[in-house]
Amino acid sequence: RSGMMSCDVPQEEWGSMDDLETKLVADGWQVRKVKVDEGCYEVYGTTPEGDRVEAYFDPASFETLLVSRRGEIIFKKDAE
């Protein structure tokens, strides 16, 4: 396992990476790269606050699951 987070969402429920990127840009992010990692969408970019981060998102709801900066977790969604 390489990722810090994993998602278990059926692929037919996923939104598109383009839609996620559009949402993030509208929220003030600068997005450098979006990829799939362990079933989640992993985004490399800069938050509205100016932090360069990697962030994991639920591929269906686009909910933020985890944000890390230089390997330090700065946000993690509470487990259900």
Side-chain angles (χ1 to χ4, degrees):
R1 290 182 84 84
S2 60
M4 289 193 267
M5 178 64 58
S6 65
C7 301
D8 188 21
V9 178
Q11 194 135 18
E12 61 270 12
E13 296 176 18
W14 290 20
S16 74
M17 286 190 205
D18 286 344
D19 287 348
L20 173 59
E21 185 168 347
T22 298
K23 174 192 182 301
L24 291 174
V25 169
D27 291 345
W29 285 64
Q30 292 175 297
V31 176
R32 290 196 310 282
K33 180 179 174 186
V34 182
K35 67 176 194 150
V36 175
D37 184 25
E38 299 286 345
C40 306
Y41 282 150
E42 182 180 13
V43 173
Y44 294 89
T46 305
T47 67
E49 297 76 35
D51 292 316
R52 287 175 62 112
V53 298
E54 57 184 280
Y56 290 82
F57 295 89
D58 182 294
S61 67
F62 298 158
E63 182 177 17
T64 306
L65 303 174
L66 183 140
V67 181
S68 71
R69 180 181 57 218
R70 294 193 238 28
E72 175 194 355
I73 294 172
I74 56 176
F75 171 82
K76 185 168 185 180
K77 179 182 179 287
D78 292 332
E80 300 290 315

